Amino acid sequence: MLRHAETLARVPLFRSIDAADIGRLDTQCSWRRAPAKDWIIDYQDEGSDVFFVVTGTVRVMIRSVTGQDVILRDIDAGGFFGELAALDGRARSAGIVAVTDAVVARMPAPVFRDAIHRHPDVCDQVMQLMASQIRMLANRVNEFSTLDVRHRIYAELLRLGRRDREVPGRAILSPPPVHADIAARVSTRREAVARTLKALERQGLLERRRGALVVTDTELLASMIDRAAEGEA
C-alpha cells in the first residue's frame, strides 16, 4: 500500500494530469527511502528508469578524468533525474547522491515515455528542462575556458545565492555551503575557496552571519566576473 507522501501529485511535471491518472502512475512506480549520503545511482550505471524526488534533496555528480568529484547541481523535492537514459537507452551520464533523507519514485522508462506522448504539458516541461540543462552546461564550459579559479568561485556564489528581498543588490546563501562543496562545483581545492572567501570579506563583498553568507553587492561581483571573462582582470 502506498503511503500518503508517496504520490507523484507532488511533482510539478505531472501538474496537468488528473487524479485518476496520477494514481495509476503511482502504482507503476517503485518507492524508495534514501538516507542522506546514500548513492541512488552511480555514474555510468546501466538502467533506464526515471527517478522523481518526492521529498528531500539529491545531488548530481560526475567524476573527472583526475578522479575528482564534480558537483553539477542539486535537485530538490519535485524534481526528477534519469530522463536521458530513459530517452536514449545509454549509460548514466552522472551519479546521484542523497544530500538529505529523501523519498524517490522509480518509474520504468516505457511508462515515462508513454506519459510524454500522452500529455503535451509533460512533454513541454521535459524539453524545457533539457534546454535549461544544455544552457547550464554551456555556461559552465564557458566559465572553465575563460575564468580563473577565483572568478569561477564568484560565479558560483551568485548562482547559489537567493535575492535578499529586504536589501536590493544583496544575495543570501543559507545554509552557507561548505568549502568542499563549492570546490567540487568549480573544480578546485577547498583551500582556494577559503582564501577567496576571506579576500571577499576583506573587500566588504561578503559577510558571514549566523547560518548564512551574504554577498553584499551582486552587481559589482557580476561586473568583476564579466571583466575577467573579457581579459580585463
Side-chain angles (χ1 to χ4, degrees):
M1 178 180 294
L2 294 177
R3 297 179 177 86
H4 179 69
E6 295 177 348
T7 174
L8 296 173
R10 294 169 172 260
V11 177
L13 181 66
F14 302 114
R15 64 192 179 191
S16 63
I17 300 180
D18 63 33
D21 282 342
I22 287 287
R24 281 190 286 273
L25 288 175
D26 285 345
T27 62
Q28 292 175 292
C29 293
S30 57
W31 299 80
R32 173 181 174 184
R33 295 178 179 273
K37 300 183 179 180
D38 187 42
W39 283 91
I40 300 171
I41 58 175
D42 286 328
Y43 177 61
Q44 292 293 304
D45 267 3
E46 299 295 333
S48 58
D49 294 341
V50 182
F51 296 77
F52 299 89
V53 184
V54 179
T55 64
T57 299
V58 303
R59 177 164 291 166
V60 185
M61 302 184 70
I62 61 173
R63 178 150 291 179
S64 70
V65 293
T66 62
Q68 182 179 11
D69 287 332
V70 177
I71 298 173
L72 291 182
R73 63 188 176 106
D74 288 349
I75 302 174
D76 295 321
F80 59 97
F81 56 91
E83 70 281 358
L84 292 182
L87 295 175
D88 67 11
R90 299 179 66 179
R92 302 292 185 182
S93 59
I96 307 291
V97 63
V99 177
T100 67
D101 292 348
V103 174
V104 296
R106 181 172 185 163
M107 177 183 288
V111 177
F112 178 72
R113 291 196 300 269
D114 183 67
I116 291 175
H117 294 151
R118 286 177 178 272
H119 303 283
D121 181 62
V122 173
C123 182
D124 287 345
Q125 288 189 71
V126 171
M127 289 192 295
Q128 289 168 6
L129 173 71
M130 295 179 74
S132 70
Q133 294 308 308
I134 290 170
R135 291 181 185 276
M136 181 270 289
L137 291 172
N139 287 336
R140 294 285 288 269
V141 169
N142 182 58
E143 287 178 6
F144 275 92
S145 62
T146 61
L147 298 178
D148 59 18
V149 167
R150 177 164 54 100
H151 289 90
R152 294 205 305 270
I153 294 171
Y154 295 173
E156 194 62 35
L157 291 175
L158 292 181
R159 267 192 295 271
L160 293 174
R162 55 180 173 79
R163 181 174 60 87
D164 188 336
R165 296 181 180 179
E166 297 180 357
V167 182
R170 288 189 172 215
I172 300 172
L173 291 76
S174 180
V178 298
H179 293 173
D181 283 355
I182 297 176
R185 291 176 182 273
V186 301
S187 192
T188 188
R189 297 183 180 277
R190 59 186 178 183
E191 293 82 5
V193 174
R195 289 194 300 269
T196 299
L197 298 190
K198 283 291 186 183
L200 287 175
E201 287 184 73
R202 289 193 296 269
Q203 293 172 267
L205 289 173
L206 189 70
E207 294 179 357
R208 295 184 184 272
R209 296 182 182 173
R210 187 172 184 178
L213 293 177
V214 179
V215 177
T216 61
D217 193 332
T218 56
E219 289 188 6
L220 177 56
L221 201 60
S223 70
M224 293 165 67
I225 296 167
D226 290 340
R227 290 197 301 271
E230 294 168 359
E232 299 177 15

